[in-house]
Amino acid sequence: MTDVTSVGSAPDSQQRLAALAFEYEQFRYHLPEGLIELELPSTRVAYLNRLAEVLLGYTLEDLLAGVYGPQLVDRESWERLGAILERDLAASTRRGQPYERRPGQQLHRVIAIRKDGGPFPAEVQGSYILDERGVPTGVRLLFRDVSERAARESEHARLAAIVASAQDAIVSRDLDGRILSWNAGAERLYGWTAAEMIGRTADVLAPPGAEGEVAELTTRVAQGEALHLVTKRRRRDGTVFDAELALFPVRNADGTVVAIGGIARDVSETLRTRQELERTNRLLAALTRAQSDFIREGDASDVFRALLELLIELTESEYGFIGEVLRRPDGTPYLVMHGLVISAVSEFAEFAQPYLANDYVFDNFGTLFGHTLRTGEPVIANEVASDPRAGGTPPGHPPLRHYLGVPIESRGELVGMVGLANRPGGYSEAAIAFLRPLLTTCATLIEAVRSERQRREEEARLAAALDRSELTLWEWDLRDDTFFGFAGGAAGMPEGRAPVARWLECVHPLDRAAVRAAFEAHARGETERLEIEHRYVAPGGTIGWALTRGRVIERGPSGVPLRVAGTILDISRRKEAELDRERLELLVRQAQKLESLGVLAGGVAHDFNNLLTAVLGNLYLLRQALPPDRTLQELADDARHAAERGAELVRRLLAFGRPEVERAELVDLDALIAEAAALARPMVEPRVRLIVRRGRGQARVLGSAVALEQVLVNLFVNARDAMPEGGVITVTRSLTELGTRRRWAPPELPRGPYHVIAVRDTGTGIPPDILEKIFDPFFTTKPVGRGSGLGLPTALAIARAHGGWLSAESTPGRGSTFRLLLPAASDGPTG
């Protein structure tokens, strides 16, 4: 070897060595693998190259602060590395001898630990750093992150375990079709071992005559096609089974197909189960649909027929029936049909029509279906002609070769039965098992039909009773805010279930807010029970009264009300009676008050009239005796005019207190109304239209035409004043019989026939507190100077003088009606 000192001068050599040292430092710092140097025996980290810094996360500052070997790997890895170190050094170095080098280089798998605590798998190989005596003073370790390789190895191991333990047959083949792998699942499925099959082609797996299929499938998959199919395959013992195959190409990294993979399983039982399941699912779906249809539409006959048609199809029968078993009072059972289908034997369809009638009864116990009806036992008769239980069939009946009759039971009671006929090959116990879901559904439907039948009968009885009692039952569902009146017939009640807002439309507009508030207050728990009287508007606009009561009958888990139920009682008659009583009381009070006022007014007017006579006489004499002084004469004239106005007021008071009516005159009311209307029209039209509607026949009363005309004109003028914006006055005449129940007259008015002249206006109406006072003398709502307050009192006095009455009814905003009652004249025809 050439001595380095001979290569050049000392300075050149030193520069060369420095350059080589720098190149070596750069080389190890930028190595493509991590490099670590540890001092021995402290295991302090003396050096990390760039990649080691990146992989472990430590910096030069960390090394200066102190980083040691046990920090770089997990405990188990460090113990293994320590054992190697102990083994290598114990034999020589510990005895003061140079390190004995070992041939070759070993790789070790460790778990490295980053500075942040994150672990990763790494491969490590190392060598000792020796001093000039050959004694190790440190360890130089090269390492690499093998996370991806470890993950691949783990995945490969996992997949290999899956393949080895899979229940399905997993087989791989080369592109020529020779078997490369054969797992335990394939051994179980086909019967050949892996040793027997590896290296052979898969033709042996095909049933005889189908060997070409294997080659065809191999070619298609080798060309890159993935296949999924069900076909036939053969076992080692020669048996053939249904196999589900999944064949797929295996590709390398560049996508080239390098092998063929396949997964197979025996689906023979699955196919049989699937077919049976499909048949059962069709039946179950039909049963579910049947129940939904029945719940939605409530038509049992259509539901049973649809079920029966499907059942006949699924059992391959020709015809069949579903019937309900009922019992007579003595307990004897009989059958009524809910479904009868002979569609498969169309020429006998006409034969079935009479038996579909709801009133047709099957009660012949000497037949196959009668046996089930009598005993409740199923009947399987595959030789009907020789079966002793068969009692023959009626003329025109379809041929009966095979028969299955199955009872339908509910809670241990025979409630119906199903009959099927003429399945090819006959029937078995398996058919009965297949029918069990149908029997359960039919039992449920029959019970529902019975419940619905009973409910309708009970509702009909209840509704009949409630109709007579003017009571309606109702239910309020707070979950969807719907109202349902389900028995009775209260006027104005919407039919069926409707939103509460729809029901409130039937409540009188002025009462809706109070009714809604009462309902909501009870729902909030503010009232123990719901109870409110209110008006309602019946079809046609008739207004009645109702008493609504109810209480919460269902609450949610948290106590929130869910349903309220109660009654609506029509109290229109009671309210009418109360109103009649109030009106009669008012009329009695008015009559008594007018009687007293009349006596008082008559006395006062008579005395006051005497005083005014003296005053007027003296004023006349004074006027004659006055000197011709204009001022004095005007003062006397003013006094005379005031006294004359007082005399006119006295005359009105006398007419109110003791109206003078000439009873000898026979008055024609139609003529009277016409004359009064003609007299009033110039005063009321054109702003107000006056309409007179004649009554039937003639109407005559005894009395004073002048006084009665005064009454009518007064009513027309008052009606005009009640319609400042214009309107219509309607005058009608009718005849009524005044009995014990009287609405428009006081109780002292004698019974008998009365003519009624009604004057209706479309004005503003009269409030109730004002209506009570309109017949009081001197009471008026008109401005000063527009009315004396004696018009209506005088009109009432005139009506009373004729043996009749004057009544008033009014609704604010809808107008008023005044009715003049006059006793019909007995000496003239009335109508």
Side-chain angles (χ1 to χ4, degrees), residues 720-783:
R720 177 205 63 187
D721 294 342
M723 297 181 289
E725 302 300 327
V728 178
I729 302 173
T730 305
V731 185
T732 60
R733 175 184 62 78
S734 62
L735 180 67
T736 187
E737 187 71 26
L738 200 62
T740 56
R741 183 185 177 104
R742 50 188 66 199
R743 182 176 179 179
W744 307 317
E748 68 268 16
L749 206 63
R751 300 183 185 183
Y754 285 77
H755 292 293
V756 182
I757 301 175
V759 179
R760 297 182 177 86
D761 65 62
T762 58
T764 56
I766 306 172
D769 56 333
I770 302 296
L771 191 64
E772 296 180 0
K773 303 175 184 178
I774 60 174
F775 291 110
D776 293 352
F778 304 110
F779 176 81
T780 181
T781 58
K782 296 178 181 179

Side-chain angles (χ1 to χ4, degrees), residues 594-706:
L594 291 175
E595 186 71 28
S596 301
L597 288 174
V599 173
L600 176 62
V604 171
H606 180 75
D607 293 340
F608 192 57
N609 190 52
N610 291 335
L611 295 174
L612 287 175
T613 300
V615 171
L616 285 170
N618 288 324
L619 286 174
Y620 176 77
L621 295 175
L622 179 63
R623 178 69 172 79
Q624 297 296 323
L626 283 175
D629 185 330
R630 182 179 181 83
T631 301
L632 293 176
Q633 289 177 354
E634 288 180 352
L635 290 173
D637 289 341
D638 290 342
R640 179 173 58 82
H641 289 323
E644 288 175 349
R645 290 177 59 189
E648 176 62 25
L649 179 61
V650 167
R651 283 193 294 274
R652 291 187 180 184
L653 283 173
L654 286 172
F656 164 70
R658 292 190 295 271
E660 297 179 358
V661 176
E662 180 59 51
R663 295 179 179 274
E665 183 181 3
L666 194 61
V667 180
D668 185 325
L669 292 185
D670 288 331
L672 175 70
I673 294 171
E675 292 174 3
L679 184 62
R681 275 197 173 91
M683 293 183 283
V684 301
E685 294 180 348
R687 186 180 63 188
V688 175
R689 191 156 58 102
L690 180 58
I691 300 174
V692 177
R693 295 176 178 166
R694 294 176 58 88
R696 291 180 299 173
Q698 289 184 334
R700 297 180 181 179
V701 297
L702 291 174
S704 170
V706 174

Side-chain angles (χ1 to χ4, degrees), residues 163-330:
V163 171
S165 60
Q167 296 300 310
D168 292 339
I170 301 178
V171 178
S172 64
R173 293 179 290 159
D174 62 18
L175 299 183
D176 294 327
R178 287 185 297 271
I179 295 172
L180 300 175
S181 64
W182 183 272
N183 74 337
E187 292 181 343
R188 288 190 297 270
L189 179 63
Y190 294 110
W192 281 285
T193 65
E196 293 173 319
M197 292 301 297
I198 291 177
R200 299 177 63 179
T201 62
D203 296 345
V204 68
L205 306 180
E211 292 82 1
E213 180 196 38
V214 175
E216 177 192 352
L217 296 178
T218 300
T219 301
R220 291 172 61 183
V221 177
Q223 293 173 352
E225 185 178 356
L227 302 174
H228 186 275
L229 68 154
V230 175
T231 186
K232 299 291 184 181
R233 283 293 178 261
R234 183 174 71 91
R235 294 188 176 92
R236 183 174 185 175
D237 61 7
T239 57
V240 177
F241 63 94
D242 292 303
E244 181 181 11
L245 302 181
L247 304 176
F248 49 89
V250 178
R251 302 177 186 273
N252 62 11
D254 62 5
T256 303
V257 178
V258 295
I260 298 171
I263 302 174
R265 66 181 59 173
D266 185 352
V267 293
S268 302
E269 188 61 31
T270 302
L271 291 179
R272 286 192 295 271
T273 303
R274 184 180 300 167
Q275 292 170 354
E276 185 64 26
L277 183 60
E278 180 181 355
R279 193 168 70 122
T280 302
N281 285 342
R282 287 188 62 192
L283 179 61
L284 293 178
L287 297 179
T288 302
R289 186 170 58 252
Q291 294 184 69
S292 300
D293 291 345
F294 178 76
I295 292 171
R296 184 177 62 253
E297 302 175 5
D299 189 343
S301 59
D302 288 347
V303 171
F304 280 118
R305 180 177 177 85
L307 280 179
L308 188 57
E309 288 178 344
L310 178 63
L311 184 60
I312 290 172
E313 176 190 345
L314 295 178
T315 60
E316 303 177 57
S317 301
E318 287 186 355
Y319 58 92
F321 68 85
I322 299 177
E324 178 184 359
V325 174
L326 300 174
R327 295 186 182 274
R328 295 188 173 90
D330 62 358

Side-chain angles (χ1 to χ4, degrees), residues 247-488:
L247 304 176
F248 49 89
V250 178
R251 302 177 186 273
N252 62 11
D254 62 5
T256 303
V257 178
V258 295
I260 298 171
I263 302 174
R265 66 181 59 173
D266 185 352
V267 293
S268 302
E269 188 61 31
T270 302
L271 291 179
R272 286 192 295 271
T273 303
R274 184 180 300 167
Q275 292 170 354
E276 185 64 26
L277 183 60
E278 180 181 355
R279 193 168 70 122
T280 302
N281 285 342
R282 287 188 62 192
L283 179 61
L284 293 178
L287 297 179
T288 302
R289 186 170 58 252
Q291 294 184 69
S292 300
D293 291 345
F294 178 76
I295 292 171
R296 184 177 62 253
E297 302 175 5
D299 189 343
S301 59
D302 288 347
V303 171
F304 280 118
R305 180 177 177 85
L307 280 179
L308 188 57
E309 288 178 344
L310 178 63
L311 184 60
I312 290 172
E313 176 190 345
L314 295 178
T315 60
E316 303 177 57
S317 301
E318 287 186 355
Y319 58 92
F321 68 85
I322 299 177
E324 178 184 359
V325 174
L326 300 174
R327 295 186 182 274
R328 295 188 173 90
D330 62 358
T332 303
Y334 62 94
L335 187 71
V336 294
M337 291 296 178
H338 282 313
L340 177 61
V341 174
I342 314 182
S343 56
V345 195
S346 57
E347 63 268 26
F348 297 100
E350 186 177 349
F351 166 82
Q353 292 306 315
Y355 298 99
L356 290 173
N358 291 333
D359 57 351
Y360 196 92
V361 172
F362 294 83
D363 55 3
N364 186 355
F365 294 146
T367 60
L368 290 172
F369 84 84
H371 181 82
T372 301
L373 191 63
R374 176 171 51 85
T375 65
E377 299 174 353
V379 171
I380 298 177
N382 290 324
E383 296 292 339
V384 173
S386 59
D387 196 298
R389 297 169 295 184
T393 55
H397 193 282
L400 183 59
R401 298 180 297 275
H402 314 296
Y403 171 79
L404 172 65
V406 187
I408 300 173
E409 294 183 345
S410 177
R411 296 188 291 272
E413 177 190 358
L414 180 65
V415 297
M417 61 179 297
V418 175
L420 297 171
N422 298 348
R423 179 180 183 271
Y427 300 94
S428 65
E429 293 291 339
I432 297 178
F434 176 71
L435 289 177
R436 284 199 181 100
L438 172 78
L439 300 177
T440 301
T441 299
C442 287
T444 302
L445 292 176
I446 290 174
E447 288 291 352
V449 168
R450 290 183 172 184
S451 297
E452 180 67 12
R453 186 188 304 140
Q454 182 179 1
R455 184 188 66 81
R456 289 179 180 176
E457 291 173 355
E458 291 175 352
E459 282 191 359
R461 289 193 294 269
L462 179 61
L466 291 177
D467 285 342
R468 291 191 292 270
S469 66
E470 300 179 334
L471 188 68
T472 294
L473 305 182
W474 57 265
E475 177 183 300
W476 176 29
D477 193 328
L478 280 77
R479 289 165 291 198
D480 56 6
D481 203 29
T482 55
F483 194 89
F484 180 45
F486 55 87

